[in-house]
Amino acid sequence: HSHVGDVAAGFAAAAAIHEGTYRTQRLQPVSLETHPATAWLVDEGRLEVRSSTQVPFLARRTLCRLFGLDPGAVRVVTGRGGGGFGGKQEVFTEDLVVLAALRLRAPVQFEHTRTEQFTGTSVRHPMRIRIKAGADAQGKLTALELDVLSNTGAYGNHGPGVVFHGTGEPLAVSNCPNKKVDARPVYPPVVPSGAFRGYGLCQLVFAVESAMDELARDLGIDPFEFRRINTVREGDPMISASAEPAADVEFGSYGLGQCLDLVQDALARGAERDRRLGAGPPEGWLTGQGMALSMIDSVPPNGHTAHSSIRLLPDGCYELKVGTAEFGNGTTTVHAQLAATALGTSADRIRVLQADTDLVEHDTGAYGSAGTVVAGRATLIAATALAEQIKAAAAGMAGAAGKTADGAACTAVLDAHAVRCGQLRIPLRQLHAASAEDTGLLGRGSWGGTPRSVAFNVHGSRVAVDPLTGELRILQSAQAADAGTVINPMQCRGQVEGGSAQALGAALYEEVVLDERGAVATDILRHYHIPTYADVPRTEVYFAATSDRLGPLGAKPMSESPFNPVAPAMASPIRDAIGMRLHRLPMTRDRIYLALKQEEAQHGRH
């Protein structure tokens, strides 16, 4: 419950006001691999657990607390998991197999069925969001007010965190002098909610961006221009609903303006292309266009710690140890690239070991987009430290041969197989052989997740709706991302495409439905429509040209953020096409059809 400015005065000064109640549904992460775990005792009685968790170190901490074990007596290892999306931040199966392994003194394995995943793990928090937004005649926001009810399920999982995060960036991205938030997580006895891609942002962005679109329509202002008038610019304070912005959130770079331009241009080109080729929808269909934006802090608040280490191997390659997990997010590749860049070599010469509590001191986990910007920065620090050690060792070995004619030391240069000191080239294998056996050449790095930057995404869509049946066709889908320096363009593009596809499922198809007793009714995939290949259009992906001064090699996170603007960027073109705003997700065909009938009854439009 918080506010800044005078909301009542802001609404009194408004030329246009939008009030609406928006509802977002339960979603199941539906990772391809469900939640498996295996536990066994090794010879000395130490407990080992193999799990598909996103947070091996936090899982170990939970297991130690539950069973009264010392952290040194428990090892948790994560292989390459088959998806996570936030749903594997919990301990759902690890405690069961540990209990059984300790009782039976034998290896135990357990894996959820798909039905058990739907009924016994966590879902996205469904929310009821009341919003009131006002703007003056020039389109400048005068007041924003939110009343949020978040259903966190039976155990209060992530309840305060999701509400805090969800009401943060969606308000902070707007330059508005008067803001107010009342938000409550409640926990009735139903399937628990937990972490899910976006962590509250996607729910609030749906409501806030829908309201921004309505204000722009009421005032006759282009929606892109309305966002340019009202969004924060580099140097502006990012204020949600308290007088002071977060102390450690900064503009490491700013690409929102570029993203707006990129998507606006893409939609204009797409419409012109369809007109020229005669590739529009069938005759009589209604068409519409819309967009939405989102901002996300690059790291969760209150610190997110990661440790990395890297050493030179006898064959001249490198062994990198990181704590973060790989479950399709691509961190293995990115960490190898970051280390290779610092060491002047190629990624194939970096052997990555990861997601094992025996490898490094700590890693808070692969969530909150931290795999690249937090753990990656720890890796870059470690690799940079090792590079300096190698150069110093080579300079010492080169002696006089590594000096210029006037006695100054030559600049040592690393390449894939050796170090060059002046005219002398010392192979890495030779350097390893000459290093001390007990310590060797080893770099260590850690990062505490602060200060934090912000990333932006803008999504635009063109759609067609059959007025007779409510069928929806997506004519164009385009997203621009402010990802800073893109470490791996193909991989980052895949993150944006995948996030957009998953968000289309949330916007149009998916919903965990409860029966009258509160039990999950949609407990198999036959009853829960995740998007198929036929449902997903090609999403055009564009990157803003920025380089973030806080991220590793200028990079920003891009795992959660592509999801966040998609639902309102689908709701607005549907509104543009049928003349009525849909306030509830998912925007299924039957809901579109009923909205068409309601619009027809009210205005005789169709």
Side-chain angles (χ1 to χ4, degrees):
H1 307 283
S2 132
H3 74 280
V4 60
D6 187 336
V7 172
F11 286 123
I17 293 175
H18 170 72
E19 292 187 72
T21 299
Y22 294 84
R23 299 181 186 275
T24 64
Q25 78 281 38
R26 288 177 182 83
L27 292 176
Q28 165 57 230
V30 198
S31 51
L32 182 62
E33 178 189 35
T34 60
H35 297 256
T38 307
W40 66 95
L41 294 166
V42 295
D43 292 341
E44 61 272 22
R46 191 173 188 230
L47 181 67
E48 297 205 359
V49 180
R50 184 176 180 89
S51 164
S52 180
T53 179
Q54 296 174 227
V55 289
F57 288 84
L58 301 190
R60 181 181 66 174
R61 184 180 69 185
T62 298
L63 295 171
C64 289
R65 185 177 72 247
L66 285 173
F67 296 101
L69 300 170
D70 184 88
V74 181
R75 177 189 184 193
V76 176
V77 179
T78 299
R80 290 193 172 218
F85 312 117
K88 292 180 179 175
Q89 288 184 45
E90 312 284 351
V91 167
F92 286 127
T93 56
E94 296 88 347
D95 53 343
L96 301 178
V97 295
V98 167
L99 175 63
L102 291 175
R103 287 288 183 89
L104 300 174
R105 317 301 289 183
V108 178
Q109 178 171 305
F110 175 66
E111 181 175 0
H112 280 147
T113 65
R114 186 63 64 184
T115 294
E116 287 167 340
Q117 185 185 30
F118 270 99
T119 58
T121 66
S122 61
V123 296
R124 183 179 78 167
H125 289 72
M127 293 188 187
R128 186 271 295 143
I129 304 159
R130 295 193 184 115
I131 185 168
K132 185 177 181 181
D136 63 22
Q138 288 71 46
K140 188 72 180 71
L141 287 172
T142 59
L144 272 172
E145 185 174 15
L146 287 172
D147 184 307
V148 181
L149 193 66
S150 174
N151 187 331
T152 198
Y155 299 104
N157 286 18
H158 298 263
V162 165
V163 163
F164 175 84
H165 191 224
T167 57
E169 290 98 303
L171 283 181
V173 74
S174 293
N175 247 338
C176 178
N178 309 297
K179 301 175 183 179
K180 182 182 179 183
V181 171
D182 290 289
R184 302 167 180 83
V186 297
Y187 49 107
V190 294
V191 58
S193 304
F196 185 91
R197 196 173 196 167
Y199 207 71
L201 289 188
C202 41
Q203 296 97 311
L204 269 296
V205 169
F206 171 61
V208 172
E209 284 295 290
S210 294
M212 296 301 102
D213 190 72
E214 287 297 323
L215 284 177
R217 290 175 186 277
D218 290 346
L219 293 167
I221 300 174
D222 177 84
F224 286 95
E225 186 59 30
F226 188 82
R227 300 323 195 276
R228 293 187 182 99
I229 294 170
N230 288 296
T231 50
V232 291
R233 300 183 182 182
E234 193 165 10
D236 291 342
M238 292 175 277
I239 295 173
S240 53
S242 57
E244 296 296 328
D248 68 334
V249 178
E250 307 171 10
F251 288 104
S253 65
Y254 182 86
L256 177 55
Q258 291 183 53
C259 290
L260 288 166
D261 293 344
L262 287 166
V263 172
Q264 188 172 21
D265 291 347
L267 294 181
R269 290 195 310 273
E272 173 59 25
R273 180 183 62 242
D274 286 357
R275 185 198 63 77
R276 188 175 65 253
L277 299 176
E283 185 177 352
W285 284 46
L286 308 170
T287 60
Q289 176 177 301
M291 54 76 65
L293 63 80
S294 65
M295 180 179 81
I296 187 170
D297 294 344
S298 61
V299 185
N302 303 319
H304 190 301
T305 304
H307 294 257
S308 297
S309 69
I310 186 167
R311 66 187 180 97
L312 180 63
L313 297 173
D315 63 357
C317 292
Y318 301 92
E319 182 182 76
L320 171 64
K321 295 180 180 179
V322 297
T324 191
E326 170 66 64
F327 50 92
N329 46 355
T331 53
T332 307
T333 303
V334 167
H335 281 257
Q337 289 182 274
L338 290 169
T341 300
L343 291 162
T345 187
S346 54
D348 63 309
R349 297 184 66 79
I350 309 294
R351 298 167 188 170
V352 182
L353 303 177
Q354 65 186 123
D356 180 342
T357 57
D358 276 3
L359 292 178
V360 295
E361 182 179 339
H362 183 74
D363 188 289
T364 309
Y367 66 88
S369 307
T372 294
V373 297
V374 179
R377 183 151 180 178
T379 289
L380 186 61
I381 292 170
T384 302
L386 177 58
E388 293 305 313
Q389 291 181 33
I390 292 173
K391 291 176 184 178
M397 185 178 293
K403 297 182 183 298
T404 62
D406 59 1
C410 293
T411 301
V413 178
L414 267 164
D415 66 27
H417 302 281
V419 184
R420 295 193 307 277
C421 294
Q423 300 301 312
L424 191 65
R425 187 172 185 275
I426 304 172
L428 292 175
R429 295 185 184 208
Q430 185 178 343
L431 279 172
H432 181 274
S435 64
E437 290 187 9
D438 54 342
T439 57
L441 292 167
L442 173 69
R444 298 184 187 276
S446 64
W447 182 246
T450 186
R452 300 178 286 155
S453 186
V454 289
F456 299 96
N457 294 75
V458 175
H459 198 95
S461 303
R462 293 187 302 113
V463 306
V465 177
D466 183 352
L468 299 178
T469 66
E471 180 184 346
L472 174 74
R473 293 186 187 177
I474 301 172
L475 304 177
Q476 186 180 7
S477 171
Q479 184 166 140
D482 174 22
T485 300
V486 181
I487 303 296
N488 188 314
M490 184 178 294
Q491 190 165 278
C492 192
R493 184 177 298 275
Q495 283 283 57
V496 177
E497 291 173 344
S500 299
Q502 188 180 34
L504 284 173
L508 303 177
Y509 309 118
E510 300 180 41
E511 182 171 15
V512 174
V513 177
L514 307 185
D515 65 18
E516 67 279 359
R517 300 175 298 114
V520 175
T522 50
D523 60 354
I524 56 175
L525 288 178
R526 185 179 299 132
H527 299 155
Y528 185 89
H529 181 173
I530 60 172
T532 66
Y533 191 82
D535 295 319
V536 178
R538 171 181 174 266
T539 292
E540 303 166 26
V541 178
Y542 304 93
F543 292 118
T546 63
S547 182
D548 195 81
R549 60 181 172 80
L550 301 176
L553 299 183
K556 290 185 182 184
M558 204 47 55
S559 56
E560 293 180 281
S561 55
F563 188 104
N564 297 326
V566 174
M570 291 301 303
S572 292
I574 292 172
R575 158 74 166 90
D576 196 35
I578 70 174
M580 179 166 287
R581 171 76 56 180
L582 296 180
H583 292 76
R584 178 188 290 270
L585 297 179
M587 296 174 287
T588 52
R589 180 170 172 172
D590 58 324
R591 288 175 178 167
I592 295 174
Y593 174 80
L594 292 173
L596 282 161
K597 289 300 178 185
Q598 184 178 348
E599 172 71 4
E600 184 178 0
Q602 289 180 356
H603 302 102
R605 175 173 176 176
H606 307 308

